Amino acid sequence: MKNYIVISSLIASVSIVVAAFFIGSSYKKKYQSNTISVKGLGTKDFVSDFIVWKADFSKKSLDLKQAYAELESDRQTITEYLISKGFTEKEMVFSAVDISKQYDYKYTANESQKFFTGYELNQTITIESKDVLKVEDLSRQITELINNGVELYSRSPLYYYTKLSDLKIKMISDATKDAKRRAEEIALSTGCKLKNVKSANQGVFQITAQNSSEDDYSWGGAFNVTSKYKTANITVRLVYEVE
């Protein structure tokens, strides 16, 4: 009787193990999906078609009215100069005048003294245009105004592209095709067959200067505005079901 109980217990244990094995195998087969994950790259070189140029000028005087009058004179000189270069007044945007009080400090062993040295007035001229070459020439020649007594600081031009949305759509298409080709090559080499796309995700969209060593990648994506000639990159990640 004792042997019978032992044998029965052993058979029951084996049955439980076998049942668990088949249940686990069935669950794994049901829920485990065989997939291939690939990344595709879309890249495009392009030339900027929109430019933004800014320059700053200023005047300083102990008398506020005098400083403003001198700044207004410089503004008129700048306007006339830009018109002579083929720009219209509608293309010129002058910022509001920024006024600040300037001080010098004298330090002694016991105290420091502050001396008012005058008012400094600053203003910025901005030109935005699709005529990139024309504005580039202006940014290089604007120092001619210094000979006319205008204290002008020319900033480096900023370059943009007005058809970026269309470019991005085309690049996503190219990146998707590239990802599909990669998946097909993997499937062929492993003897699998591609089925449906399980998921598709776009990666970061980057714009960098052409032929540069820029490594400004971030979650938001690099967006170069200092170079006229740019390269755009985008990635697409596809997950395929395979059999």
Side-chain angles (χ1 to χ4, degrees):
M1 183 68 176
K2 184 177 180 180
N3 290 337
Y4 175 77
I5 294 174
V6 171
I7 293 173
S8 299
S9 299
L10 181 62
I11 292 173
S13 299
V14 171
S15 299
I16 291 172
V17 171
V18 172
F21 172 78
F22 282 110
I23 292 173
S25 297
S26 176
Y27 181 87
K28 183 176 180 182
K29 184 175 181 182
K30 180 178 180 181
Y31 291 100
Q32 181 184 38
S33 60
N34 296 320
T35 60
I36 290 177
S37 178
V38 289
K39 243 182 203 180
L41 175 65
T43 182
K44 179 69 175 178
D45 291 336
F46 62 97
V47 182
S48 303
D49 63 356
F50 192 79
I51 187 171
V52 177
W53 171 78
K54 295 184 178 184
D56 307 300
F57 57 103
S58 62
K59 281 297 180 181
K60 184 177 179 180
S61 175
L62 287 170
D63 182 74
L64 181 58
K65 290 184 178 180
Q66 178 65 26
Y68 189 84
E70 291 178 358
L71 190 75
E72 183 63 25
S73 177
D74 281 355
R75 173 174 171 168
Q76 186 60 37
T77 301
I78 293 170
T79 301
E80 292 172 357
Y81 177 82
L82 293 177
I83 290 175
S84 73
K85 295 297 181 180
F87 294 92
T88 65
E89 290 193 47
K90 289 184 178 180
E91 294 177 283
M92 308 173 202
V93 179
F94 287 90
S95 69
V97 178
D98 179 64
I99 303 173
S100 61
K101 292 182 179 181
Q102 302 296 305
Y103 297 91
D104 277 343
Y105 295 86
K106 183 179 179 180
Y107 298 94
T108 64
N110 299 320
E111 62 178 353
S112 64
Q113 293 179 307
K114 184 170 69 172
F115 299 92
F116 176 68
T117 58
Y119 295 95
E120 184 175 86
L121 278 60
N122 295 277
Q123 198 165 20
T124 301
I125 167 70
T126 301
I127 289 182
E128 300 179 355
S129 176
K130 290 185 178 181
D131 195 336
V132 177
L133 293 177
K134 183 180 177 181
V135 178
E136 281 182 328
D137 288 341
L138 172 66
S139 68
R140 289 189 287 264
Q141 299 170 11
I142 198 68
T143 51
E144 293 174 350
L145 281 171
I146 296 176
N147 297 327
N148 294 328
V150 178
E151 296 179 15
L152 189 82
Y153 171 71
S154 177
R155 303 187 198 180
S156 298
L158 302 179
Y159 297 91
Y160 300 90
Y161 190 60
T162 59
K163 301 174 184 176
L164 202 57
S165 296
D166 294 337
L167 176 67
K168 189 174 181 180
I169 292 173
K170 175 64 168 59
M171 290 175 61
I172 291 174
S173 175
D174 292 342
T176 303
K177 292 176 183 177
D178 182 52
K180 184 179 180 181
R181 284 194 297 268
R182 293 170 188 266
E184 289 172 342
E185 290 174 3
I186 294 173
L188 182 64
S189 64
T190 56
C192 298
K193 182 180 178 182
L194 292 181
K195 295 176 68 179
N196 299 324
V197 175
K198 189 175 182 181
S199 66
N201 295 287
Q202 177 191 313
V204 176
F205 183 54
Q206 307 278 358
I207 297 179
T208 58
Q210 283 184 26
N211 305 316
S212 73
S213 58
E214 284 185 77
D215 191 21
D216 189 26
Y217 293 91
S218 63
W219 288 108
F223 193 91
N224 178 283
V225 295
T226 59
S227 177
K228 177 180 178 180
Y229 301 95
K230 306 179 191 292
T231 298
N233 294 282
I234 196 169
T235 57
V236 169
R237 182 175 179 270
L238 299 181
V239 178
Y240 280 93
E241 293 180 339
V242 295
E243 61 179 5

